[in-house]
Amino acid sequence: MNLKNVLILSVLYCLSFQSIFAQSKIESFLTPSDTLNIKRQNTVIVTEAALASATLIGLNQIWYADYSRSNFHFINDNNEWLQMDKVGHFYSAYHLGRFGAEALNWSGANSKKQLIYGAGIGFAFLAAVEVLDGYSSEWGASSGDIIANTTGTALYVSQELLWKEQRITPKFSFHTTQYANQRPDKLGTSLNEQILKDYNGQTYWLSVNLHSFAKETKIPKWLNVAFGYGADGMLTGNLQNDNLALAQNPKRFRQFYLSFDLNLTKIETKSHFLKTIFSVFNTIKIPAPTLEYSANKGLKGHLLYF
């Protein structure tokens, strides 16, 4: 073996050792504490408070600064976007609460603190956004949003209290549509904007873990069935108040879906790094064969739907 090969193998050995050491440090960091770790708990509280404050300050400067202020007021927007925005609030509140609870679980906090302070962080943050809306003359606080936020948080908390596990998980999928090009000001110009604004391409799911409801069977622990909701034909929130949207596309309709899904958190692994990755990506519905029903198109099958 010549000197060059020795050097190459030596470098590879060192890199492998460093990689294993780094992975070991990551594993140790991500492993939840068995008992309350005050340092970790303080880190969670400070980090969440800082992120929430920075986000709200950013929203106030970027989103609301261009519009005049008003006295705090409510608006009734419950009929807009065929309630897709409300389902989005439900989804966001659930997962913000879930991440908050899991962060406190990592610190070793007890289940009561996880549910009260962890799961409550999503509701508190979205409630603060409603306050900002309420003081903006362009928008206003929405009772429908508040109800959706409450329902999303309640879904997480109730499952923990009832089953001590999450058997039903809200998920999200998105595909681009033709409507964004027709109304880019409303539905977004870039892909990032369209994911947030183009409700025609969004689908929200309730993904149900089958094994959790039939533990004595041989159903794989990771197999889910998912029930989805979407809408199509929307160029603006309220059709009746937008003559241009009415002229361009007068038909808007709801869509209902049935599909298979994976519960990534049920995949068995000893790696806490992988468990963390699986927890993050368990917010997204995987592409799978899907049945779609709508009053406009009837029953339709998709080989893969996302």
Side-chain angles (χ1 to χ4, degrees):
M1 183 179 292
N2 59 35
L3 180 60
K4 180 180 178 182
N5 289 335
V6 172
L7 290 174
I8 291 174
L9 288 176
S10 299
V11 170
L12 289 175
Y13 175 80
C14 291
L15 290 175
S16 299
F17 180 80
Q18 289 178 355
S19 176
I20 293 171
F21 179 70
Q23 186 175 355
S24 177
K25 289 180 66 176
I26 292 174
E27 281 295 313
S28 177
F29 175 77
L30 292 176
T31 301
S33 178
D34 293 330
T35 58
L36 179 61
N37 185 315
I38 298 297
K39 183 178 180 180
R40 283 190 174 189
Q41 181 177 267
N42 292 338
T43 298
V44 170
I45 293 172
V46 171
T47 301
E48 289 182 346
L51 287 173
S53 300
T55 303
L56 290 172
I57 292 171
L59 279 173
N60 187 57
Q61 294 299 317
I62 297 172
W63 189 266
Y64 298 98
D66 293 335
Y67 301 97
S68 60
R69 304 293 183 177
S70 68
N71 293 328
F72 184 83
H73 64 286
F74 280 88
I75 60 170
N76 185 353
D77 62 349
N78 295 330
N79 291 326
E80 294 188 359
W81 301 112
L82 294 179
Q83 295 78 50
M84 286 294 293
D85 57 326
K86 302 297 179 271
V87 184
H89 275 264
F90 165 82
Y91 168 88
S92 299
Y94 174 91
H95 284 294
L96 285 173
R98 179 173 71 87
F99 289 144
E102 289 180 356
L104 281 179
N105 178 63
W106 169 78
S107 75
N110 60 43
S111 58
K112 183 177 180 180
K113 286 185 177 180
Q114 291 175 36
L115 293 182
I116 295 176
Y117 301 109
I121 187 67
F123 179 82
F125 173 78
L126 292 172
V129 174
E130 286 302 316
V131 172
L132 292 178
D133 279 346
Y135 281 107
S136 173
S137 59
E138 181 71 11
W139 293 280
S142 166
S143 59
D145 289 352
I146 295 172
I147 292 171
N149 298 340
T150 304
T151 306
T153 302
L155 177 64
Y156 179 83
V157 173
S158 61
Q159 291 187 88
E160 287 298 315
L161 293 175
L162 184 61
W163 299 315
K164 299 188 183 303
E165 64 175 344
Q166 296 298 301
R167 298 183 178 185
I168 304 170
T169 306
K171 293 195 177 185
F172 174 82
S173 64
F174 177 81
H175 58 271
T176 57
T177 73
Q178 59 180 318
Y179 303 108
N181 292 331
Q182 298 179 49
R183 296 297 295 274
D185 58 320
K186 289 284 186 181
L187 306 180
T189 55
S190 65
L191 178 60
N192 290 337
E193 288 185 350
Q194 290 170 21
I195 290 174
L196 295 174
K197 294 182 177 182
D198 187 0
Y199 293 110
N200 302 282
Q202 297 178 1
T203 306
Y204 290 98
W205 305 82
L206 284 179
S207 187
V208 181
N209 185 247
L210 297 175
H211 182 268
S212 295
F213 287 100
K215 294 182 181 292
E216 303 303 321
T217 67
K218 295 183 179 180
I219 298 174
K221 293 182 179 180
W222 42 261
L223 182 62
N224 281 22
V225 61
F227 304 91
Y229 174 68
D232 203 352
M234 301 178 295
L235 293 173
T236 189
N238 195 324
L239 183 64
Q240 286 72 28
N241 295 337
D242 194 321
N243 293 329
L244 178 58
L246 184 63
Q248 289 182 324
N249 196 73
K251 295 181 180 179
R252 52 177 60 193
F253 54 93
R254 306 176 192 275
Q255 299 159 304
F256 302 92
Y257 301 91
L258 176 64
S259 183
F260 292 107
D261 189 30
L262 297 182
N263 187 333
L264 299 179
T265 64
K266 295 292 186 179
I267 297 176
E268 295 184 2
T269 176
K270 294 182 179 180
S271 169
H272 288 282
F273 174 75
L274 287 178
K275 288 180 180 179
T276 302
I277 296 297
F278 290 159
S279 177
V280 171
F281 282 96
N282 208 47
T283 59
I284 301 172
K285 165 75 169 61
I286 66 162
T290 301
L291 286 176
E292 172 192 343
Y293 174 78
S294 66
N296 190 62
K297 296 182 179 180
L299 190 64
K300 179 180 179 183
H302 302 270
L303 183 60
L304 285 178
Y305 180 85
F306 188 67

